[in-house]
């Protein structure tokens, strides 16, 4: 079956860094837009970053721009999120998502989702 599996997150001190990966199986995602979303307790799921098929286009939420970098390796059918200068406000469950069409920030438009991985930023 089609699966998107995020790497395990973790506990990171403020100012620290963490890299997440999302490996796909059961379907090639090289022709899909891929994105990261996150959801904090008591809040709705929010857009974090998106990347086009070949990585030529990327877009970020204002809250993470300059700190997070999305990238992909189509040979490995994997998308990554490098998170630097982490803040307590970044604490959330992070989800990767994919869709053959450009869906941007619109959560409901993505057809494929990972199960999520927890990132906690705390001292």
């Amino acid at each position: 079956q089609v699966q998107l599996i995020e790497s395990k997150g973790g506990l990171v001190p403020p100012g620290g860094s963490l890299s997440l990966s999302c490996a796909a199986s059961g379907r090639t995602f090289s022709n899909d837009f891929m994105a990261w979303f996150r959801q904090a307790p008591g809040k709705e799921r929010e857009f974090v970053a998106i990347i086009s098929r070949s990585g030529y286009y990327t877009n970020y939420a204002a809250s993470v721009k300059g700190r997070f970098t999305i990238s992909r390796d189509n040979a490995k059918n994997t998308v990554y999120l490098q998170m630097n200068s982490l803040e307590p406000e970044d604490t959330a469950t992070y989800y990767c998502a994919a869709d053959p069409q450009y869906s941007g920030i619109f959560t409901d438009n993505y057809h494929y989702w990972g199960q999520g991985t927890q990132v906690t930023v705390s001292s």
Side-chain angles (χ1 to χ4, degrees):
Q1 73 277 22
V2 176
Q3 288 187 294
L4 295 175
I5 302 176
E6 298 97 341
S7 61
K8 188 172 181 63
L11 177 64
V12 186
S17 297
L18 185 67
S19 180
L20 300 178
S21 65
C22 174
S25 64
R27 177 184 181 274
T28 179
F29 287 86
S30 61
N31 292 322
D32 285 31
F33 289 86
M34 302 195 73
W36 289 93
F37 291 79
R38 67 186 183 185
Q39 187 168 22
K43 299 180 65 177
E44 295 184 348
R45 190 169 300 184
E46 65 176 354
F47 169 79
V48 175
I50 189 169
I51 188 168
S52 63
R53 294 183 304 157
S54 297
Y56 294 143
Y57 169 82
T58 59
N59 191 32
Y60 299 88
S63 59
V64 307
K65 190 173 185 179
R67 299 188 298 119
F68 290 12
T69 302
I70 187 171
S71 61
R72 66 192 299 165
D73 186 341
N74 287 338
K76 296 181 178 180
N77 217 21
T78 300
V79 64
Y80 305 90
L81 185 68
Q82 177 64 47
M83 303 182 290
N84 298 325
S85 301
L86 284 162
E87 305 167 352
E89 293 74 20
D90 296 317
T91 296
T93 300
Y94 284 72
Y95 300 86
C96 65
D99 200 90
Q101 299 175 312
Y102 177 75
S103 296
I105 67 172
F106 303 107
T107 303
D108 292 345
N109 290 350
Y110 287 83
H111 285 77
Y112 306 100
W113 289 89
Q115 294 187 16
T117 187
Q118 179 66 36
V119 174
T120 301
V121 184
S122 176
S123 59

